[in-house]
């Protein structure tokens, strides 16, 4: 039965009745309110009826301090006591209302007064600490806002501390929040049965009540997603009269309402391996992916993961990527950022990387390794990026319960890709480079870094304001990350990426020297007394000389290690950031995470300076890239040839080197354009080789060889649209 009146209406009725029954024409109505929760209601009702209102703030005797002249309601926020002599005359000539919020609420149900007495009793018999909650529940339900409740709905709210849905209350809050009173627990059980949860009939234990309710709700959602209900125990089959198919399953409704933090807590309830609600049914289910939209059973989660792992090991990478993406989106929508979500997110990356490593030779022309690797849209540089991102994303399975199957499988799958199969890919790619250099050269017709100032002179000498950001060791994929960051931060700019061939050997001194103003034909690399030296106009280029040439060419020269407060106001700025190379050389175990932080930092600097400097054009350039080896790899230390005059980790140089030298021979036949007739370089293409006694044996960060990761560079051009 619904209520017929609100609390304010009942308060007016009570005051009007007291006035009508009073002996005086302008009586005083004395209202005793045990608990004092009706002051606002009584005051508003009094004024609505044209009565003055006075309330006892401390003691009832305050009300006798000044005799009333008109109709007045005296409000006393306490129970009526035996000693009421102070108000005998009021009782004889006026009226008395003994009405706490429980009594007044019961009067709101005129058509069911007998059953409504339970509301008054619930208030009167509640413990002192619970009375305020009961009062709050009654007021919110009967204050006239939002319609009038049913008696049963109000009784439910009282028992459930203001909650009006017993099923969702139990599903969300569990046994810890159920009432201690056995009668209240039985009332909740009966409410659950009335709502279709037949599985709890006869249950008297609170833990069992919660377990069965949750099991029922999970079954309801599974059936919604397509599970044949005949597979379920009879007590757990959805009630045909529950409206399933019209309204959402109870758990789905609940999880759509709770905030993200609470949803994350519920993930640990409904995906807890210790609470496999329908294990016996799901472990024999033919295709668990038919039920993948159901996010609330650990057994289903386990079956999905095991099936996904089998598919991955069978090489069905595209299927694995699609399924992992579907499951990730579903769990993220329901629970937000929780360990279960992050595991599926990484599963997508694992599947994509597996597919890329399996099919990389199909992505482009394997007779042109520069284009194969450096195609901005489809190049295999994306494999490096995928490996990088996978390592940076860590081990999300570590945050899962140990019983989750991902804790035993995901780490091995990740390691097999980033350590074993990625190394195989690097070796195969190195063989391609070696074959192409020995067969003629992959460098003809490409953009070469030492030609940058010559090729871009139209823009560099046009009077436009220009900024150069030269980032040491900015590998192709990291440059792409920077470009994407600029696009997101400054969408009004045009950001283009173009592959360029860096200077070989791909070491800092040669790469930086190549990016120095001067004629294309004045740059060369030659041996000088056993040292391999980069030159402009026959003069060796070092940091000091490069700075001098840039300043003479009108550039403001700024180093990242210096105070860069000055110089940015110039219309031609060259900014050098050296921290990536330094971090790679010094951080031998976890430099991917270090690089992730560095890329974010340099992105902030570039975006800030471009946004505030208002240059017409800006470039992000690199001197060389690098190879990141797996954390555990056996390095093959090889002997440098006796003819080598200069020996480093990844290359040797000499005048008498021949094709028998380890690695790939670079000479005038390589068509690089800057090696003289007497200078020969042999650079290593095999990623696990290095010349003996050079550097640390466990180093993961290498450059100087001839893998595309080291010399195919991504130059980013930023212009005002």
């Amino acid at each position: 039965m619904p209520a017929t009146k609100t609390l304010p209406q009942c308060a007016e009725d009570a005051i009007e009745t007291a006035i009508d029954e009073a002996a005086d024409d302008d009586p005083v109505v004395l209202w005793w309110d045990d608990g004092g929760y009706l002051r606002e209601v009584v005051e508003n009702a009094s004024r609505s009826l044209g009565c003055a209102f006075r309330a006892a703030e401390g003691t009832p005797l305050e009300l006798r301090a000044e005799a009333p002249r008109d109709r007045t309601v005296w409000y006393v926020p306490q129970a009526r006591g035996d000693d009421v002599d102070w108000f005998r005359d009021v009782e004889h000539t006026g009226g008395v209302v003994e009405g706490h919020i429980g009594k007044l609420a019961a009067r709101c149900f005129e058509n069911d007064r007998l059953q409504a007495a339970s509301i008054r009793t619930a208030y009167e018999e509640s413990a002192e600490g619970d009375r305020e909650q009961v009062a709050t529940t009654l007021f919110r339900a009967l204050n006239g806002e939002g319609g009038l409740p049913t008696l049963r709905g109000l009784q439910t709210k009282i028992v459930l501390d203001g909650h009006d849905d017993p099923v969702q209350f139990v599903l969300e809050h569990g046994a810890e929040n159920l009432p201690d009173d056995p009668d209240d627990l039985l009332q909740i059980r009966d409410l659950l049965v009335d709502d279709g949860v037949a599985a709890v009939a006869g249950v008297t234990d609170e833990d069992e009540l919660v377990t069965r309710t949750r099991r029922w709700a999970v079954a309801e959602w599974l059936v919604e997603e397509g599970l044949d209900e005949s597979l379920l125990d009879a007590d757990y089959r959805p009630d045909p009269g529950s409206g399933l198919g019209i309204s959402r399953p109870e758990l789905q409704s609940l999880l759509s309402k709770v905030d993200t933090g609470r949803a994350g807590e519920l993930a640990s309830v409904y995906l807890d391996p210790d609470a496999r609600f329908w294990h016996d049914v799901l472990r024999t289910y033919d295709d668990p992916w038919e039920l993948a939209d159901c996010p609330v059973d650990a057994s289903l989660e386990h079956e999905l993961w095991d099936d996904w792992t089998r598919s991955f090991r069978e090489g069905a990478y595209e299927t694995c990527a699609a399924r992992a993406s579907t499951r990730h989106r579903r769990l993220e929508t329901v629970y937000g950022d929780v360990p279960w979500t992050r595991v599926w997110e990484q599963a997508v990356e694992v599947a994509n990387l597996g597919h890329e490593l399996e099919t990389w030779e199909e992505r482009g022309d394997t007779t042109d390794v520069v284009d194969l690797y450096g195609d901005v849209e489809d190049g295999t540089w994306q494999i490096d990026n995928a490996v990088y991102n996978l390592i940076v994303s860590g081990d999300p399975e570590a945050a899962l319960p140990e019983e989750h199957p991902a804790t035993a499988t995901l780490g091995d799958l990740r390691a097999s890709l980033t350590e074993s199969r990625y190394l195989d890919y690097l070796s195969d790619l190195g063989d391609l480079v070696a074959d192409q250099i020995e067969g003629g050269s992959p460098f003809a017709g490409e953009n070469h870094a030492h030609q940058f100032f010559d090729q871009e002179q139209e823009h560099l000498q046009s009077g436009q304001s220009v900024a150069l950001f030269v980032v040491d060791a900015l590998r192709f994929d990291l440059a792409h990350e920077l470009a994407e960051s600029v696009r997101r931060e400054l969408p009004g700019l045009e950001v283009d990426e173009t592959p360029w061939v860096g200077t070989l050997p791909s070491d800092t001194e040669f790469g930086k020297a190549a990016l120095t103003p001067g004629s294309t034909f004045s740059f060369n690399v030659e041996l000088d007394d056993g040292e391999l030296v980069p030159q402009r106009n026959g003069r060796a280029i070092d940091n000091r000389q490069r700075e001098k040439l840039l300043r003479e060419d009108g550039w403001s020269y700024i180093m990242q290690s210096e105070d860069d407060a000055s110089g940015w106001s110039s219309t031609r700025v060259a900014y050098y950031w050296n921290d990536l190379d330094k971090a790679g050389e010094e951080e031998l175990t976890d430099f991917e995470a270090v690089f992730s932080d560095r890329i974010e930092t340099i992105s902030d600097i570039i975006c800030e300076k471009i946004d505030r400097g208002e240059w017409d054009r800006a470039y992000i350039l690199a001197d060389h890239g690098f190879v990141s080896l797996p954390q555990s790899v056996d390095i093959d230390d090889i002997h440098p040839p006796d003819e080598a005059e200069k020996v480093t980790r990844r290359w040797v140089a000499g005048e008498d080197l021949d094709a028998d030298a380890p690695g790939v021979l670079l000479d005038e036949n390589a068509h690089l354009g800057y090696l003289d007739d007497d200078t020969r370089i042999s650079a290593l293409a095999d990623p696990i080789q290095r010349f003996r006694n050079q550097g640390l044996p466990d180093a993961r960060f290498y450059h100087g060889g001839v893998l595309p990761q080291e010399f195919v560079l991504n130059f980013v051009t930023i212009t005002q649209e």
Side-chain angles (χ1 to χ4, degrees), residues 534-594:
Q535 298 178 342
R536 280 284 190 192
N537 299 324
R539 184 172 183 176
I541 299 293
D542 56 18
N543 289 342
R544 185 181 60 80
Q545 182 68 11
R546 182 176 66 252
E547 178 181 353
K548 179 175 181 293
L549 289 174
L550 282 165
R551 292 190 185 281
E552 288 177 353
D553 201 43
W555 294 89
S556 172
Y557 183 89
I558 304 172
M559 289 289 292
Q560 168 238 339
S561 58
E562 301 172 353
D563 179 7
D564 61 5
S566 61
W568 288 105
S569 59
S570 173
T571 58
R572 290 159 63 82
V573 174
Y575 176 75
Y576 285 79
W577 172 279
N578 299 324
D579 205 31
L580 287 184
D581 203 354
K582 180 181 178 183
E585 297 286 358
E586 295 181 356
E587 178 54 67
L588 303 180
T589 58
D590 192 30
F591 62 77
E592 287 90 354
V594 175

Side-chain angles (χ1 to χ4, degrees), residues 645-659:
E645 299 176 49
K646 174 68 175 179
V647 180
T648 71
R649 284 184 300 183
R650 299 280 290 157
W651 58 270
V652 297
E655 291 186 354
D656 298 324
L657 294 178
D658 57 28

Side-chain angles (χ1 to χ4, degrees), residues 643-697:
E643 300 81 10
E645 299 176 49
K646 174 68 175 179
V647 180
T648 71
R649 284 184 300 183
R650 299 280 290 157
W651 58 270
V652 297
E655 291 186 354
D656 298 324
L657 294 178
D658 57 28
D660 293 332
V664 180
L665 187 65
L666 302 173
D667 56 13
E668 69 276 7
N669 295 322
H671 306 294
L672 291 171
Y674 46 81
L675 294 179
D676 64 15
D677 295 342
D678 297 324
T679 300
R680 297 189 174 192
I681 300 168
S682 186
L684 298 176
D686 191 327
I688 65 169
Q689 284 186 336
R690 71 164 197 153
F691 291 109
R692 280 193 168 185
N693 303 321
Q694 299 295 321
L696 298 174

